[in-house]
């Protein structure tokens, strides 16, 4: 599915919606802040924006970003369909279920620069499949370096098995 939409912008990019109001969107957004500061509201939790920080906003989360003028960074937007690996999608969703919050990493210039190097590999005018695979690389690297809670993961839990069974069987078993 190389035609799933994938966008990469500077954080100064003006979106088509009114981003001065709280809003939701139906795609993932990962925001990489190099510098500049400001405040970020995600599902009614406020975050002070610090340098070399990465935020993950899930589809349908309520979001409002007030960046300080002159802030610098990049953001990437993509939909569920862009995530090829079930395991990776589960890992992303676990972050919401576990209530880890939206900060993936903070004040980590080394990890930040590594992510920027991957972002520079994207060429949105080029082969969409190549970009899709680069996205998986970015996400796997991000998730394996993400701050997490000390809660046991959902990977082996009954809830996760249940969700996987729904996923597998919902087409046949509508009851």
């Amino acid at each position: 599915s190389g035609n799933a939409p994938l966008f990469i912008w500077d954080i100064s990019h003006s979106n088509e919606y009114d981003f001065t109001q709280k809003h939701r969107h139906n795609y993932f957004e990962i925001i990489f802040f190099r510098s500049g500061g400001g405040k970020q509201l995600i599902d009614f939790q406020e975050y002070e924006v610090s340098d070399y920080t990465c935020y993950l906003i899930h589809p349908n989360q309520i979001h409002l970003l007030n960046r300080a003028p002159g802030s610098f960074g990049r953001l990437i937007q993509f939909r569920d369909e862009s995530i090829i690996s079930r395991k990776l999608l589960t890992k992303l969703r676990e972050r919401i279920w576990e209530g880890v919050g939206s900060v993936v990493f903070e004040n980590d210039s080394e990890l930040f620069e590594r992510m920027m190097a991957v972002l520079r590999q994207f060429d949105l005018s080029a082969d969409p499949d190549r970009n899709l695979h680069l996205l998986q690389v970015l996400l796997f690297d991000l998730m394996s370096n993400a701050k997490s809670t000390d809660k046991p993961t959902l990977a082996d839990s009954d809830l996760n098995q249940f969700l996987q069974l729904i996923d597998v069987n919902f087409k046949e078993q509508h009851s």
Side-chain angles (χ1 to χ4, degrees):
S1 62
N3 25 5
L6 173 68
F7 299 102
I8 299 172
W9 317 97
D10 273 330
I11 55 171
S12 56
H13 163 77
S14 56
N15 279 295
E16 68 285 358
Y17 53 83
D18 181 0
F19 56 90
T20 61
Q21 300 296 317
K22 291 189 197 86
H23 60 273
R24 300 171 188 261
H25 26 66
N26 61 351
Y27 48 83
F28 283 95
E29 193 166 58
I30 299 177
I31 304 176
F32 295 99
F33 263 97
R34 183 184 295 277
S35 60
K39 282 187 175 29
Q40 172 114 264
L41 183 75
I42 303 168
D43 275 354
F44 308 107
Q45 190 169 347
E46 192 168 77
Y47 300 89
E48 210 44 73
V49 174
S50 53
D51 292 355
Y52 300 111
T53 296
C54 173
Y55 299 94
L56 171 64
I57 295 120
H58 284 74
N60 300 314
Q61 280 193 302
I62 291 171
H63 179 228
L64 178 63
L65 168 61
N66 292 311
R67 1 176 229 101
S71 315
F72 184 73
R74 305 281 284 160
L75 68 87
I76 182 167
Q77 298 168 336
F78 56 92
R79 298 187 195 284
D80 277 27
E81 310 90 82
S82 301
I83 302 168
I84 302 165
S85 155
R86 308 283 333 143
K87 185 178 174 186
L88 188 52
L89 193 54
T90 302
K91 258 191 147 357
L92 283 167
R93 290 191 174 138
E94 275 178 0
R95 291 187 65 77
I96 276 213
W97 300 332
E98 290 178 359
V100 174
S102 298
V103 178
V104 184
F105 65 81
E106 239 174 339
N107 303 309
D108 188 335
S109 57
E110 198 179 314
L111 186 52
F112 182 91
E113 293 307 339
R114 197 160 85 219
M115 295 295 122
M116 291 302 102
V118 177
L119 277 185
R120 284 191 291 274
Q121 301 297 311
F122 283 87
D123 177 358
L124 298 184
S125 62
D127 175 6
D129 279 333
R130 180 179 174 277
N131 291 322
L132 215 53
H133 286 90
L134 275 169
L135 177 64
Q136 315 311 303
V137 170
L138 181 88
L139 292 172
F140 267 117
D141 201 7
L142 212 48
M143 288 302 100
S144 57
N145 285 285
K147 285 170 60 165
S148 65
T149 61
D150 296 326
K151 295 178 189 168
T153 71
L154 284 169
D156 308 313
S157 72
D158 293 341
L159 173 62
N160 192 50
Q161 277 182 308
F162 174 66
L163 291 167
Q164 283 177 340
L165 286 169
I166 288 175
D167 225 26
V168 171
N169 295 302
F170 81 103
K171 292 181 187 83
E172 292 82 32
Q173 302 290 330
H174 293 288
S175 60

